[in-house]
């Protein structure tokens, strides 16, 4: 029988200041050149007022916590649910936090983790959950 | 009263060959240096057999379709659900497809779109849905 390796409530985080470089590099790698990310003049006319980071770039910080820290090496990423709750601007410092929520299948080592990213003002910019395999 | 702008069933896609450059750049931008992405020797010992792309990098191709094509300019990304169903290897050509599924709130212009990424063999590597605001 599989044994539970990750204790419920265990938590880890990673913080990074999001730069203009990050946004332009993410655009180049993924192909997402929506003007709200790369055109200050168009972004000024949007609801956001200036250029914002791609939501999936901020989501990548969650991947960093899962891949590097909790669970870390050996993690198989099965699922990620993301709700983008506030914009991330150039220069914002984002902290991604991951907390073990549930054991979905102890035998197979499948866990659900709460995932959240907040900015330097404590405002949640992204929230959701991940499902990973780890044993 | 808001009117429906995006017709149910409308679809768009974007394809890109995922390179070693993409994976290393994504690692540098997000901070996800899990060895399955950046260490061939460790990746050989994993279930995948060699280095694989970050799931959120593949997810970025969906963001590219939403941001560039459907709905395109003016899209506000509210939610994304991702299930990672198969690995993406260096050199794989991934096609991200987006299809309008439901109108969740016609007044506010909120839609749910089916999102999927397949590799060059037609195998689904990622599936889920997005919720966007567009009006």
């Amino acid at each position: 029988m599989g044994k539970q390796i990750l204790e419920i409530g265990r938590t880890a985080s990673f913080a990074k200041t999001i730069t203009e470089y990050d946004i332009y590099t993410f655009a180049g790698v993924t192909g997402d050149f929506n003007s709200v990310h790369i055109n200050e003049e168009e972004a000024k006319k949007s609801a956001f007022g200036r250029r914002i980071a791609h939501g999936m770039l901020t989501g990548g910080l969650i991947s960093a916590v899962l891949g590097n820290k909790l669970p870390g090496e050996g993690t198989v990423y099965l699922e990620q649910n993301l709700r983008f709750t506030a914009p991330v601007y150039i220069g914002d410092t984002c902290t991604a936090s991951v907390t073990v929520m549930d054991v979905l299948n102890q035998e197979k080592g499948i866990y659900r983790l709460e995932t959240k990213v907040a900015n330097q003002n404590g405002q949640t910019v992204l929230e959701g959950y991940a499902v990973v395999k780890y044993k």
Side-chain angles (χ1 to χ4, degrees), chain A residues 1 14 18 22 31 43 56 73 81 86-88 105 111 115 117 121-122 133:
Chain A
M1 208 183 90
F14 172 62
I18 301 296
D22 294 329
M56 296 293 263
E73 294 295 334
N81 179 282
V88 172
N105 185 321
Y111 299 86
T115 57
V117 183
N121 303 316
K133 188 174 176 181

Side-chain angles (χ1 to χ4, degrees), chain A residues 96-130:
Chain A
S97 307
V98 168
T99 305
V100 182
M101 283 170 76
D102 305 303
V103 186
L104 298 182
N105 185 321
Q106 194 159 314
E107 190 66 33
K108 296 184 178 173
I110 297 177
Y111 299 86
R112 192 201 313 265
L113 304 100
E114 184 186 62
T115 57
K116 203 165 94 168
V117 183
N119 66 18
Q120 67 280 5
N121 303 316
Q123 185 182 22
T124 299
V125 296
L126 194 164
E127 58 185 7
Y129 66 86

Side-chain angles (χ1 to χ4, degrees), chain A residues 38-105:
Chain A
I38 56 130
N39 183 326
E40 185 66 15
E41 297 308 315
E42 288 299 321
K44 271 183 196 166
K45 301 175 201 161
S46 76
F48 303 114
R50 54 193 200 278
R51 283 170 297 167
I52 61 166
H54 303 75
M56 296 293 263
L57 165 56
T58 314
L61 303 182
I62 292 169
S63 175
V65 180
L66 296 171
N68 295 336
K69 294 185 172 182
L70 179 63
E73 294 295 334
T75 303
V76 178
Y77 211 170
L78 297 178
E79 197 173 326
Q80 180 69 55
N81 179 282
L82 303 165
R83 288 186 301 281
F84 307 107
T85 53
V88 172
Y89 296 105
I90 295 168
D92 278 359
T93 299
C94 290
T95 302
S97 307
V98 168
T99 305
V100 182
M101 283 170 76
D102 305 303
V103 186
L104 298 182
N105 185 321

